[in-house]
C-alpha cells in the first residue's frame, strides 16, 4: 500500500500533501500507467487519514488527468503519452537590472515640467471622485469613455480651439499609441499611410508593428508636400498643421484646403495631430483642420500627456460622423482603456476650470523658460555660429550649429558630457539632404535652471571643438 | 482703406477682431488675391488702433497663410487656390443619446459583484499613493509597468499559483484587449492563430480587427482538440486550461503536455488564459502550463478585471525569456498604458495582503451565491427537465433546458421578460452541432437576491412554454 509521511505542522492541508506524494510517484514512474490505486477507504485507513482527505486528493489528481476513474472498478494511473519524468523545477530567474543611463540633462526625452502640475488639486479631485462615486466607479464604461469626460473635452475644445464637437464623436484611450492602433484597425491595413518626414518617429514604429505600409512625405515650408503625397498613392495622411514636430512649420490655409480636397478626392482621411497646440506663444491659437472640414475627412487627435503628464495616460480623438458609426460597429467590442477614476477626475479638472488655469500658467512658465534658454545662448561668445529657429510655439526649438562635426559626433560629444540630445537629421528618412544636418532639437520643457548650465557648457564645447 | 467697427466691450482682444474682419473679407472675395494691404502704420492710424494690434493681426493672418509678406513691399492677400468661399459653419451636432436597454437581470454581461470590493481600502491606498509619491507619479514608467507592481504580481503568482516568475518578464497593460494586440504585434500576423470553439468571442473579433487569420478548433472533453489543431496549420493557440469558458472543461495533464510538445515542434506559442482561476471551488488550484513549460512556449495571461473590477483596467502577461527580449526590441517604444497611480496602488493592495484577503472573501461569496442559484433551480417543479453542469469553478455554470424552443426563441422569451441571457450555441462556430443547443450560460456572479427571482421566473416560463 502507498505509504507516505505527512507533516501535520506544514501549512499545506493533508489532502494536498497526499496529492503531491501520489503525483510525484506517478511522474517518477514508481506508480505505472494503468496501475490500480487503493480504494479511498483502504488508503484512508492505511494512512490514518479521513476518507474525505483521500477523496479530495484523488479528485484533484483526476481533474488534472494524472489518474482516471473507471465506473465500479476504482482509480487507475492514467496513460500519459508524454515522458513521465517531471519537467525540471524552473530556476528562480533574476537577472541584474539593466543599467539605465542617468543623464545630467536629457533634451531628447521631450519631458514636461511635471513639477508644475497642480498636484494637490488633482489629488483632491481624485479623492472627491473616489468618495462621491464610490463603488459606482467599478461599473463598466462606454467604449468611447465616460460621457462626463467626453462632454468636458467637448467644452474645452469649444472654448480653447473654437471647435464644435459632439461628445459622442470623442473616443478616449490610454495614450495616443492606443489611438493610432485603433485608427489603423478602423480604417484598415490595405493601403498606404503617409507620414511626415521629418516627423514623429514613433508613428512609423507603430505602423510597422501593425503591418501597415507607410510612405514618408517631405515636409516643405508649408507642411506636407502635396505633390509627394499625391505621388505616394497614400490614402491616409498624418499631419500636425498647428505646429509640426520637429521643424515647427505652421501649415497655411491654402495647404490645409489642398489637403482637405486631396482627402475628399481619395476618399481618404487626415489624422490631425494637435498635440502641443496649447503652447503657442505669439498670436492666437491656429484654427484646426477639423473646424474647416466639411466632408468628414479629419480625425482630430490630442493628448493630456503634454499638458498634464505622460504617466496620466489619457488621450482622445474626435471622429467624423461616418467613422464614429463605423467605430461602434467594428471596434465597439473593445473596452475603454482608461480607468474610471481617472476619467471622472479629469472631467472635474476640466469642468472646474483647473485645466485651463493650469495651461495658462504653464504657457507663461514655458515662455519664460524658453526666454532664459535663448538668452543664455545669446550671451555665448560664438553666437554667430548658432541659428535659432521655430521658437514661437510648442515645447522645443531648433538650434543649428556651424560645426565641422558630424551629427553622430555631436551626439557622442554630448553623451560624453552627460547630456542626451537629438538632431533633426535623426528624424528624417532623407539621409542625403544636408540641410537637416547640425541642427539640434532642443526640447527645453523639462530643463531646470541647473541643467541649463550643462546645456550651455555643451554648446560651448561643440563650438570649441569645431574651432580646431 | 479697410474700415471696421470694433466692439471694445467684446471679450476678444482688438487684434483678434481685426484678424477676423480681414480674414472674412479675404474669404468673401472683398479683398482679392494679390491685393496689397495697407501698411501697419497707416491702418493703425486709420482705425485708431495701436500699431502692435495691427501687427499682431497681420502676423496671425500671415502664419495662417491668408496674407503673404514681400520684402520691402508690404503685405498682400495670398493666392488661395481653393474656393475662396469659407466653408459653411458647422452645425452644432447633437443627436439624441441611443436608448440603452436596462435589463432586470443581465446574465450575459459576465459582470462581477463589484459591490463586494473593499473600496475603502482601495481608496485609502490610492490616497496614500497620491500623498506619498506625489509629483513623482508624473514620471514616465518602464514600458512593461512599474517595477513595484511587477514584483507584487510575481509574489502573488508564486504564493497563489506556485509560479516562479521574474518580474522583468511581466508586462502590465490596460486590459487584456491591449495585451492581445501587443501579442499579435509581437509574434506577427503571418500565420494562423487557433482559437477555442466554443470560446471567448472577443478574441476572434480582436484577431479580425488586427487582420490575423484564425482557425476555430473544437474543444472536446479534455480541451483543445490536438488533431484539429495539427490539421489547422496554426502556430499560436489560445487556451484556457484551468477553466475553459464557457464549457468549464479542465485540461488534464496529458493534453497539456501534448500541447506543449506541439508548440515546441511548431516553434509556436500557447497563450494560456488563466482569467478566473482564482475562483475554483473544489480542490486546490490547478497548476499552470507556464509552470511546466521548459521550452519557453507559454505566454501566461491574467487580469484584475475579474478579481477587482472591469473598470480598473489592469491586466498582465508573463512572457518567456526569448519573447521578453523580443518585446523590448520590437515593441519597447510603446508606453505602458496603465496610469502610475493605479499601478502603485495595486502594488500596495497586493503586497499588503488585501488582494488575497479579497479573493478569499469573494470565493466564499460566489460559492454561496452559486449555491443559492442552484438551490432555487432545484426547487422547481420541472427540475428533471434541467441539467446543471460545470459548476465547480469560475463564475458561471451551464444550464441545459429540455425545451422544444429554439435558442433564438429562448433568448427572445428572456428578452421579453427583461432578462438578458446567452446560449452556448452562440459561442460556437459549429452551427450544425445540436449538442450545444438549449444550454444557457449562467453568469451568476453579478446576480442579486432580488434578481434571482426574475431568473427563476424565466426558467419557469421557458419550461411552461415548452409544455404547450
Amino acid at each position: 500500500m502507498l505509504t507516505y509521511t505527512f507533516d501535520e505542522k506544514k501549512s499545506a492541508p493533508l489532502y494536498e500533501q497526499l496529492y503531491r506524494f501520489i503525483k510525484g510517484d506517478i511522474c517518477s514512474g514508481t506508480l505505472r500507467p494503468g496501475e490500480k490505486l487503493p480504494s479511498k477507504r483502504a488508503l484512508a485507513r492505511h494512512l490514518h487519514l479521513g476518507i474525505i482527505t483521500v477523496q479530495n486528493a484523488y479528485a484533484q489528481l483526476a481533474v488534472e488527468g494524472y489518474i482516471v476513474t473507471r465506473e465500479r472498478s476504482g482509480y487507475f494511473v492514467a496513460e500519459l503519452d508524454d515522458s513521465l519524468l517531471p519537467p525540471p523545477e524552473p530556476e528562480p530567474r533574476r537577472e541584474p537590472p539593466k543599467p539605465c543611463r542617468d543623464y545630467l540633462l536629457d533634451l531628447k526625452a521631450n519631458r514636461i515640467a511635471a513639477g508644475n502640475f497642480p498636484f494637490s488639486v488633482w489629488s483632491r479631485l481624485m479623492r472627491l471622485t473616489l468618495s462621491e462615486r464610490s463603488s459606482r466607479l467599478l461599473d463598466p464604461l462606454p467604449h468611447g469613455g465616460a460621457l462626463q469626460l467626453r462632454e468636458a473635452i467637448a467644452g474645452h475644445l469649444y472654448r480653447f480651439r473654437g471647435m464644435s464637437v459632439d461628445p459622442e464623436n470623442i473616443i478616449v484611450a490610454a495614450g495616443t499609441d492606443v489611438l493610432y492602433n485603433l485608427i489603423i484597425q478602423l480604417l484598415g491595413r490595405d493601403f498606404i499611410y503617409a507620414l511626415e518626414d521629418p516627423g514623429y518617429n514613433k508613428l512609423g514604429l507603430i505602423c510597422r508593428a501593425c503591418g501597415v505600409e507607410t510612405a514618408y512625405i517631405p515636409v516643405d515650408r508649408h507642411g506636407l508636400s502635396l505633390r509627394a503625397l499625391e505621388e505616394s498613392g497614400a490614402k491616409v495622411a498624418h499631419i500636425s498643421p498647428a505646429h509640426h514636430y520637429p521643424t515647427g512649420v505652421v501649415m497655411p490655409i491654402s495647404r490645409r484646403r489642398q489637403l482637405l480636397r486631396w482627402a475628399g478626392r481619395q476618399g481618404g482621411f487626415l489624422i490631425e495631430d494637435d498635440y502641443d497646440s496649447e503652447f503657442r506663444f505669439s498670436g492666437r491659437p491656429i484654427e484646426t483642420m477639423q473646424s474647416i472640414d466639411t466632408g468628414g475627412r479629419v480625425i482630430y487627435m490630442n493628448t493630456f500627456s503634454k499638458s498634464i503628464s505622460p504617466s496620466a495616460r489619457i488621450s482622445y480623438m474626435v471622429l467624423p460622423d461616418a467613422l464614429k458609426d463605423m467605430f461602434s460597429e467594428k471596434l465597439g467590442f473593445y473596452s475603454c482603456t482608461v480607468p474610471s477614476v481617472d476619467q471622472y477626475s479629469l472631467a472635474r479638472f476640466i469642468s472646474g476650470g483647473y485645466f485651463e488655469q493650469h495651461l495658462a500658467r504653464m504657457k507663461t512658465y514655458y515662455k519664460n523658460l524658453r526666454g532664459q534658454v535663448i538668452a543664455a545662448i545669446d550671451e555665448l561668445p560664438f553666437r554667430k555660429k548658432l541659428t535659432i529657429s521655430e521658437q514661437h510655439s510648442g515645447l522645443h526649438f531648433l538650434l543649428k550649429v556651424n560645426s565641422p562635426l558630424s551629427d553622430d559626433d555631436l551626439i557622442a560629444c554630448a553623451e560624453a558630457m552627460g547630456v542626451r540630445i537629438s538632431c533633426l537629421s535623426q528624424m528624417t528618412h532623407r539621409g542625403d539632404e544636408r540641410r537637416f544636418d547640425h541642427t539640434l532639437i532642443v526640447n527645453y520643457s523639462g530643463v531646470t535652471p541647473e541643467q541649463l548650465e550643462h546645456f550651455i557648457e555643451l554648446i560651448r564645447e561643440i563650438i570649441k571643438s569645431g574651432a580646431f
Side-chain angles (χ1 to χ4, degrees), chain A residues 175 238 298 318-319 421 465:
Chain A
H238 176 264
V298 173
V318 182
L319 294 176
I421 58 168
S465 56

Side-chain angles (χ1 to χ4, degrees), chain A residues 9-22:
Chain A
K9 278 167 288 180
K10 228 177 168 180
S11 63
L14 291 173
Y15 91 89
E16 187 172 330
Q17 294 186 46
L18 179 59
Y19 152 83
R20 282 191 191 284
F21 287 136
I22 300 176

Side-chain angles (χ1 to χ4, degrees), chain A residues 114 209 216 232 236 241 275 313 331 344 414 459 462:
Chain A
Y216 285 93
S232 73
V236 178
Y275 83 103
R313 314 302 321 143
L331 303 177
Y344 291 114
I459 302 299
I462 289 173

Side-chain angles (χ1 to χ4, degrees), chain A residues 367-386:
Chain A
K367 198 170 175 174
N368 289 337
L369 180 58
R370 185 196 51 160
Q372 284 169 35
V373 175
I374 290 174
I377 294 172
D378 283 341
E379 280 171 19
L380 282 167
F382 299 99
R383 177 64 181 86
K384 271 187 247 159
K385 288 178 177 267
L386 304 166

Side-chain angles (χ1 to χ4, degrees), chain A residues 154-419:
Chain A
H156 169 71
L157 288 175
Y158 179 74
R159 289 187 302 275
F160 220 75
R161 303 298 273 128
M163 291 163 66
S164 159
V165 167
D166 185 333
E168 296 269 334
N169 292 42
I170 297 176
I171 307 284
V172 171
T176 45
D177 300 358
V178 179
L179 288 175
Y180 286 121
N181 270 279
L182 289 174
I183 289 175
I184 290 170
Q185 292 181 24
L186 180 66
L187 303 181
R189 256 174 306 274
D190 300 332
F191 43 81
I192 300 167
Y193 284 66
L195 305 179
E196 294 167 321
D197 181 14
Y200 181 50
N201 275 342
K202 201 173 182 182
L203 196 49
L205 296 173
I206 294 176
C207 284
R208 194 167 62 190
C210 291
V212 164
E213 198 183 338
T214 52
Y216 285 93
I217 309 295
V219 171
D220 62 29
R221 64 196 178 85
H222 289 157
L224 206 68
S225 154
L226 189 72
R227 183 192 294 182
L229 180 62
E230 276 170 340
E231 283 168 1
S232 73
K235 216 170 143 179
V236 178
H238 176 264
I239 48 174
S240 39
H243 180 234
H244 175 256
Y245 186 85
T247 68
V249 165
V250 176
M251 192 184 287
I253 186 70
S254 54
R255 180 68 56 89
R256 289 173 184 235
R257 290 194 178 169
Q258 286 169 341
L259 286 175
L260 283 171
R261 286 197 306 181
W262 167 84
R265 279 198 306 276
Q266 294 281 317
F269 294 95
L270 296 166
I271 303 169
E272 176 179 26
D273 190 350
D274 203 32
Y275 83 103
D276 71 355
S277 61
E278 291 83 359
F279 302 114
R280 186 164 170 75
F281 300 121
S282 51
R284 53 189 283 287
I286 292 175
E287 212 173 27
T288 64
M289 295 197 54
Q290 198 273 352
S291 319
I292 58 168
D293 167 34
T294 52
R297 296 285 142 207
V298 173
I299 299 171
Y300 173 90
M301 283 186 79
N302 210 332
T303 177
F304 293 98
S305 69
K306 281 282 150 201
S307 47
I308 293 185
S309 147
S311 68
R313 314 302 321 143
I314 313 185
S315 301
Y316 62 93
M317 61 180 169
V318 182
L319 294 176
D321 287 338
L323 289 186
K324 175 192 76 171
D325 297 338
M326 197 167 132
F327 188 93
S328 295
E329 202 178 301
K330 214 171 149 183
L331 303 177
F333 64 85
Y334 276 123
S335 311
C336 182
T337 40
V338 182
S340 313
V341 61
D342 296 67
Q343 296 200 37
Y344 291 114
S345 303
L346 180 57
R348 279 174 197 269
F349 192 70
I350 297 170
S351 313
Y354 303 107
F355 181 55
E356 282 159 33
Q357 249 173 45
H358 170 62
L359 285 181
R361 219 169 4 228
M362 289 315 289
K363 210 164 136 169
T364 311
Y365 173 85
Y366 286 132
K367 198 170 175 174
N368 289 337
L369 180 58
R370 185 196 51 160
Q372 284 169 35
V373 175
I374 290 174
I377 294 172
D378 283 341
E379 280 171 19
L380 282 167
F382 299 99
R383 177 64 181 86
K384 271 187 247 159
K385 288 178 177 267
L386 304 166
T387 316
I388 293 172
S389 62
E390 307 301 353
Q391 77 273 34
H392 297 298
S393 160
L395 306 181
H396 76 282
F397 60 81
L398 300 179
L399 180 68
K400 188 153 185 134
V401 293
N402 187 345
S403 161
L405 295 178
S406 74
D407 282 6
D408 284 346
D409 289 341
L410 287 178
I411 290 166
C413 167
E415 187 88 18
M417 292 177 68
V419 180

Side-chain angles (χ1 to χ4, degrees), chain A residues 32-53:
Chain A
R32 288 172 185 287
E35 193 170 334
K36 190 176 190 308
L37 291 173
S39 76
K40 291 180 282 189
R41 187 171 305 271
L43 189 59
R45 214 180 303 122
H46 172 68
L47 295 174
H48 298 280
L49 295 171
I51 195 162
I52 298 291
T53 305

